[in-house]
Amino acid sequence: MPSNVEIKAKVSDPAQFAQKAAELSQSEGTIIRQHDTFFNCSQGRVKLRDFMNGSGQLIFYERPDTDGPKLSRYSISPTGDPQSLQVVLSEALGVKGEVKKERRLFLIGQTRVHLDTVEGLGHYMELEVVMRPEQTVEEGQQVAEDLMKKLGVSKESLVTGAYMDLLLKGHKET
């Protein structure tokens, strides 16, 4: 199963974060609209990501709900009909909740840097260090921590869990 090391944090100044990420990636980033539907499951998380253009991905992932760098293992299956798949999975598993966001994706080395505007939550960033087979988790964590410093992300802004968890706990935009 592929894996990555992830960090998620609240962003107080999205324009400043975007500027730093653009400088480091030497690009303005790519805008991606996403509507994620989370389904009930006994372990990990299952979500259907609808890209709002007729394509999507069914994603299963497991990761600890801790702040700071953490290992995430995942499986992804593309779909050309996310709407009908959403109906089937809703009936079979039940819906846990939905997350709607606009994501600005920057690529910096082996890391996917996301600047997310999440409906009902506000602005967040995610770092996903895509692990190479020969890399240790500690090496991935070091890549994430180094990039966190370059992007000006403080340890105090780190958050645990998924956006779905924050929405279910009643977190609001600030």
Side-chain angles (χ1 to χ4, degrees):
M1 190 181 280
S3 64
N4 58 33
V5 171
E6 296 185 13
I7 291 179
K8 186 184 314 254
K10 184 84 174 134
V11 173
S12 57
D13 188 341
Q16 181 182 30
F17 182 88
Q19 181 181 352
K20 287 180 182 177
E23 288 170 8
L24 290 169
S25 70
Q26 299 179 0
S27 80
E28 291 303 310
T30 303
I31 301 292
I32 306 168
R33 289 178 48 230
Q34 299 177 343
H35 181 168
D36 293 345
T37 303
F38 284 77
F39 301 95
N40 297 314
C41 67
S42 59
Q43 69 179 44
R45 293 181 175 95
V46 173
K47 67 181 171 186
L48 177 63
R49 172 161 291 159
D50 187 338
F51 290 111
M52 314 303 290
N53 65 3
S55 71
Q57 298 173 327
L58 182 61
I59 303 167
F60 168 76
Y61 66 100
E62 293 179 296
R63 73 165 180 247
D65 289 331
T66 57
D67 61 10
K70 54 198 155 276
L71 185 67
S72 176
R73 298 189 179 282
Y74 58 92
S75 297
I76 298 175
S77 177
T79 179
D81 190 359
Q83 288 81 17
S84 68
L85 187 55
Q86 198 264 351
V87 170
V88 171
L89 290 169
S90 296
E91 290 176 3
L93 302 174
V95 173
K96 185 175 186 177
E98 297 177 280
V99 175
K100 296 176 185 176
K101 65 181 174 277
E102 182 176 278
R103 169 166 282 175
R104 191 165 166 192
L105 168 65
F106 301 91
L107 299 175
I108 302 172
Q110 72 187 89
T111 306
R112 296 170 54 92
V113 177
H114 305 147
L115 175 57
D116 293 337
T117 302
V118 184
E119 190 174 293
L121 287 179
H123 302 286
Y124 288 81
M125 60 71 61
E126 287 183 343
L127 303 181
E128 291 180 353
V129 180
V130 180
M131 298 296 291
R132 297 183 188 116
E134 73 279 1
Q135 280 184 304
T136 65
V137 174
E138 293 76 20
E139 289 171 328
Q141 289 172 333
Q142 190 60 55
V143 170
E145 288 173 1
D146 290 346
L147 193 50
M148 216 173 100
K149 288 176 189 160
K150 290 177 183 173
L151 290 166
V153 177
S154 70
K155 291 192 185 296
E156 296 76 37
S157 65
L158 296 177
V159 297
T160 62
Y163 296 136
M164 184 76 263
D165 300 327
L166 297 174
L167 287 166
L168 290 172
K169 289 177 184 173
H171 288 255
K172 301 288 184 209
E173 282 191 53
T174 54

